Amino acid sequence: MNHPVQRRDAVAPVPPARIATLDDLREHLQWAIELEHATLPPYLCALYSLDPERNPEAVQVVAGVFAEEMLHLALAANLLNAVGGSPRLDTPRMLQPYPRRLPHGDRSLQLSLLPFGAEALDMFLRLERPAPPDAPPEDDGYETIGQFYAAIGDGLRHLCDRLGEREVFSGDPARQVHGGHFRNTAGRLVAVGDLASALAALEEIVEQGEGLAGGEVWDGDRDVHHPERDEVAHYYRFQELRAGRRYRRGDTPRSGPTGEAISVDLDGVLPMRRDPRRADHAPGSPIRTAQEEFDHTYCAVLHLLEQAFNGSPRLLAVATGTMYGLRAQVQALMRMPDEDGTTAGPTFEYVAPELRRWSTGDRQRIVVLAGGPYLVYGGLPLRRKRKIVSAEGDALTWRTGDALPTEDTYALCRCGRSGAKPFCDGTHAVIGFDGTESADVRPYAELQHVHDGTGISAQRVGELCVHAAFCLGRTRPIAEMLADTGDSDVRSTVMGRIDHCPSGSYSYALERGGETVEPDLPRAISVLEEEGGLAGALWVTGGVPVLRADGRPLETRNRITLCRCGHSSGKPLCDGTHRKIDFREEGTGATTAERSHPRM
């Protein structure tokens, strides 16, 4: 007897997961990093084109969105690190020319660099547009950002079901950045280590952009500028600016904002040229030079972010501080007259590492950031050293203290105001630190004054003196003792005092013109503490190269001292000013409120 054939195709097949492998997932999370970054230059241009006195509400809106997009970038990096990936930011892919589309997004959406105005608002509203309630997840060619992140969420669930959470979340937890590294928004910087925290990170990104699930205009946080108010999601903040009113309780996406009036003064906007390019101006012209300077700084931000997300999470504060510090460069450009009644603007063009003023790589070195901290590369050891003095206060020697835990790349405070000294916490950007360098870059041999004794020829460069006082002694300074160096005990004492000079202001040879005799010092950085708890210089030993912010190297010497009080007249070198101002490690940081909400 024949039986009827069952038609299996009557049941719709389950579609294959769009993100089906861990490699797929990591690729999409790298796209997420590129997506979040692509929004930053347009927001930054609109923000800095606004006169904050005439447009305070618009400045608050755009600044708040910009800070939260930085948060979303960090969350995307946490997600990628959690699943065993390596975030990449210092790459030409991050700075494709504007106008450009979102990475792997809807090709009809083009992002441009524009001053604030109706066209910029249209672009931001299209960018932040919420997904319709029934919109399917889209892992490529997505119409809305929410649909893209929904596809990532589906991929995470699928892979956890198939492979198990432990296999999916195989990344190093030490690479996670968290609330201790980022305090610039009301949002949550979620450390990701399992499916629940990964989905929470995705929810944070989507809700800040599109609003709470169910079609609400709120994002679930308190307004960072007005803590008494609930915070409105990005899309609806831009709707407020367009409508000239705030949302209030009871308002919906359909009703629009019905609350208090807000105003935008379009006459208080700098008329920046659309999508500026370096090539539009001759090399060496003031605008081209300023644009190149900006691009160097912006690529430094990308470099710092990549370092922060790849094993040096403390650098996130330095990167965000440097990002906020771009304001002066952008606003200076926007005040330079350009063609057709417009002004110049930043170009956001990539500068290859080998063309930067300081090269990248893992070799041990110290790089001075313009207006910022010292970046220390290559895992240089960091420890404390305390001056030992006699009962009468005479300098005797240095005692090496505890080693300080560091990451392979770390940043040391240069402004003197960090709340995490000796490390940088980004305060330099809050206080507007002027890190202009004025140290004489001529070689030691050209600056030295030579004083001969018997069996010793002392060399001194007064500009390097940090007043550590080893050269003074209880009764006579070295300059007077040289006359008695026929006595080997006196000569030995002079040699010992010079060996203890941290800056190398004093050095010696056995005869005039002979080879300088240097103490055997390790490659390291020492945080000096002088008598009475006075905070001294950073003592760099062992011939570590130091590069100024303008790219010029300081002469590599066995020992140099770097200013960390922020007040030396010969930055980046210490000149002893910390003694005049009674510099201490405690009580010199920016306030908590300043660090939490730096001015954009």
Side-chain angles (χ1 to χ4, degrees):
M1 179 175 179
N2 294 329
H3 296 281
V5 176
Q6 297 290 327
R7 292 194 59 187
R8 295 181 180 273
D9 60 353
V11 178
V14 177
R18 294 180 176 89
I19 298 175
T21 68
L22 282 174
D23 284 342
D24 288 344
L25 179 62
R26 291 168 186 147
E27 179 182 48
H28 281 75
L29 288 170
Q30 176 63 35
W31 293 355
I33 290 171
E34 294 169 17
L35 154 66
E36 298 298 343
H37 173 265
T39 68
L40 297 179
Y43 283 136
L44 189 146
C45 287
L47 172 62
Y48 291 144
S49 71
L50 286 160
D51 182 334
E53 300 299 324
R54 299 170 69 173
N55 285 295
E57 292 93 348
V59 166
Q60 286 184 356
V61 167
V62 184
V65 170
F66 179 88
E68 287 170 3
E69 294 297 344
M70 287 287 291
L71 171 65
H72 299 172
L73 177 67
L75 287 169
N78 273 358
L79 285 159
L80 180 52
N81 270 322
V83 299
S86 297
R88 292 288 169 254
L89 291 103
D90 192 357
T91 165
R93 287 175 56 183
M94 301 299 284
L95 288 177
Q96 296 176 27
Y98 288 86
R100 60 168 297 187
R101 67 183 183 95
L102 286 177
H104 300 273
D106 183 349
R107 290 183 176 275
S108 68
L109 171 57
Q110 293 287 314
L111 298 182
S112 281
L113 304 179
L114 302 169
F116 184 86
E119 187 177 359
L121 274 178
D122 286 343
M123 178 175 65
F124 298 154
L125 286 165
R126 174 75 187 279
L127 174 64
E128 303 285 0
R129 178 166 57 98
D134 57 349
E138 294 179 328
D139 70 322
D140 202 355
Y142 50 88
E143 291 187 59
T144 70
I145 293 173
Q147 289 170 275
F148 175 64
Y149 283 116
I152 290 176
D154 283 355
L156 280 164
R157 293 184 188 92
H158 167 75
L159 289 169
C160 286
D161 286 344
R162 185 163 65 85
L163 303 175
E165 285 191 50
R166 180 172 295 184
E167 181 71 17
V168 173
F169 294 97
S170 61
D172 182 357
R175 289 193 169 200
Q176 294 292 307
V177 295
H178 52 76
H181 303 118
F182 196 92
R183 301 187 181 93
N184 299 298
T185 82
R188 296 173 299 146
L189 183 47
V190 180
V192 178
D194 54 22
L195 181 60
S197 55
L199 295 177
L202 292 172
E203 182 180 77
E204 184 71 21
I205 294 172
V206 175
E207 288 184 347
Q208 281 194 328
E210 300 183 2
L212 295 170
E216 292 194 40
V217 301
W218 321 100
D219 70 5
D221 296 324
R222 306 300 293 177
D223 189 314
V224 71
H225 297 290
H226 303 280
E228 73 281 1
R229 300 175 183 162
D230 291 326
E231 189 169 67
V232 176
H234 295 182
Y235 178 80
Y236 299 103
R237 289 182 223 177
F238 292 124
Q239 289 282 26
E240 288 181 325
L241 291 179
R242 166 167 282 177
R245 289 196 174 276
R246 294 192 184 279
Y247 281 93
R248 61 181 175 181
R249 274 297 165 191
D251 287 344
T252 66
R254 183 179 293 274
S255 74
T258 65
E260 65 185 274
I262 58 175
S263 62
V264 175
D265 179 1
L266 293 180
D267 289 331
V269 178
L270 294 168
M272 186 194 84
R273 183 178 185 175
R274 183 192 190 96
D275 295 321
R277 298 284 179 90
R278 270 191 252 156
D280 293 338
H281 301 280
S285 65
I287 289 178
R288 175 75 171 263
T289 300
Q291 288 172 334
E292 290 171 346
E293 182 73 22
F294 172 87
D295 289 336
H296 274 275
T297 305
Y298 196 82
C299 287
V301 172
L302 294 181
H303 172 70
L304 288 167
L305 287 171
E306 182 164 303
Q307 294 287 317
F309 298 141
N310 284 277
S312 299
R314 281 181 176 172
L315 289 181
L316 183 58
V318 184
T320 53
T322 305
M323 178 75 82
Y324 296 137
L326 289 168
R327 176 177 56 181
Q329 287 179 275
V330 176
Q331 291 181 335
L333 271 166
M334 289 187 183
R335 288 180 171 84
M336 292 182 175
D338 207 330
E339 299 174 1
D340 303 324
T342 63
T343 64
T347 51
F348 294 95
E349 295 182 31
Y350 189 70
V351 180
E354 63 271 17
L355 299 179
R356 296 177 195 170
R357 296 186 180 91
W358 42 274
S359 62
T360 56
D362 59 1
R363 67 185 179 90
Q364 291 183 329
R365 67 196 186 283
I366 299 171
V367 172
V368 182
L369 280 189
Y374 303 105
L375 281 184
V376 184
Y377 292 87
L380 271 171
L382 181 70
R383 70 270 181 95
R384 293 191 180 274
K385 276 187 178 289
R386 183 166 63 87
K387 184 194 287 184
I388 304 301
V389 297
S390 68
E392 295 78 23
D394 302 314
L396 300 177
T397 190
W398 297 101
R399 173 182 288 169
T400 301
D402 295 335
L404 295 172
T406 66
E407 297 156 346
D408 189 60
T409 303
Y410 56 95
L412 296 175
C413 174
R414 189 161 72 101
C415 71
R417 297 284 299 280
S418 169
K421 287 187 287 294
F423 299 102
C424 171
D425 68 354
T427 297
H428 57 274
V430 179
I431 63 174
F433 171 60
D434 181 1
T436 303
E437 297 159 84
S438 55
D440 196 323
V441 295
R442 286 179 293 169
Y444 186 98
E446 290 185 19
L447 299 171
Q448 69 184 9
H449 298 277
V450 180
H451 307 277
D452 292 329
T454 301
I456 185 172
S457 179
Q459 301 137 184
R460 182 172 185 269
V461 176
E463 293 87 344
L464 300 178
C465 181
V466 299
H467 307 289
F470 285 95
C471 61
L472 297 179
R474 183 170 63 84
T475 56
R476 290 191 299 166
I478 284 175
E480 294 181 11
M481 295 176 68
L482 286 170
D484 298 327
T485 48
D487 183 327
S488 60
D489 283 346
V490 175
R491 187 160 69 250
S492 175
T493 299
V494 170
M495 291 175 175
R497 289 190 186 176
I498 291 176
D499 284 346
H500 283 94
C501 173
S503 68
S505 170
Y506 257 117
S507 62
Y508 69 89
L510 300 183
E511 59 185 6
R512 180 179 281 259
E515 182 179 355
T516 299
V517 178
E518 279 286 336
D520 185 12
L521 298 172
R523 276 200 158 206
I525 303 174
S526 298
V527 182
L528 298 186
E529 179 186 329
E530 301 191 41
E531 64 275 12
L534 183 71
L538 295 171
W539 186 8
V540 181
T541 57
V544 177
V546 178
L547 286 82
R548 291 170 41 126
D550 61 10
R552 288 186 292 173
L554 296 178
E555 181 182 21
T556 300
R557 296 188 290 116
N558 187 41
R559 45 189 164 152
I560 62 173
T561 44
L562 299 175
C563 171
R564 72 183 186 108
C565 73
H567 289 82
S568 170
S569 61
K571 297 183 188 73
L573 299 178
C574 173
D575 67 356
T577 299
H578 59 273
R579 306 187 68 85
K580 298 177 184 177
I581 66 173
D582 194 36
F583 179 58
R584 308 276 164 166
E585 282 212 352
E586 302 80 18
T588 54
T591 67
T592 301
E594 285 176 323
R595 286 195 299 273
S596 299
H597 311 303
R599 291 185 62 192
M600 297 292 294

